[in-house]
């Protein structure tokens, strides 16, 4: 649990600071800072095979 919090905090801080450096808007930067760790968590889950997906049949 501590590792997940550390990853989320790291991703939030990097996404927020980079977004703020580009657009100088705190609200938009906070949005990106919150959205990025969520997208990272879903992407990591998909990359690790956490989804079942559709069963594929071999081509004829």
């Amino acid at each position: 649990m501590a590792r997940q919090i550390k990853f989320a905090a790291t991703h939030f801080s990097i996404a927020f600071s980079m977004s703020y450096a580009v657009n100088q808007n705190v609200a938009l930067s906070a949005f990106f800072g919150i959205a990025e760790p969520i997208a990272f968590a879903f992407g990591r889950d998909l990359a690790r095979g956490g989804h079942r997906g559709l069963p594929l049949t071999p081509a004829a």
Side-chain angles (χ1 to χ4, degrees), residues 2 6 9-13 23-24 37 40-44 46-47 51-52 54 56 58:
K6 183 180 79 171
T10 301
H11 280 267
F12 173 82
S13 62
N23 64 30
Q24 301 290 310
F40 175 77
F42 284 123
R44 186 182 62 210
L46 290 176
H51 67 291
R52 299 199 186 268
L54 296 174
L56 299 176

Side-chain angles (χ1 to χ4, degrees), residues 3 5 8-9 14-15 27 29-31 41-44 50-54 57 59-60:
R3 185 175 179 188
I5 293 171
I14 291 171
S29 298
F31 171 76
F42 284 123
R44 186 182 62 210
H51 67 291
R52 299 199 186 268
L54 296 174
T57 57

Side-chain angles (χ1 to χ4, degrees), residues 11-34:
H11 280 267
F12 173 82
S13 62
I14 291 171
F16 179 85
S17 57
M18 290 182 71
S19 177
Y20 187 75
V22 170
N23 64 30
Q24 301 290 310
N25 185 339
V26 174
L28 189 59
S29 298
F31 171 76
F32 284 125
I34 292 170

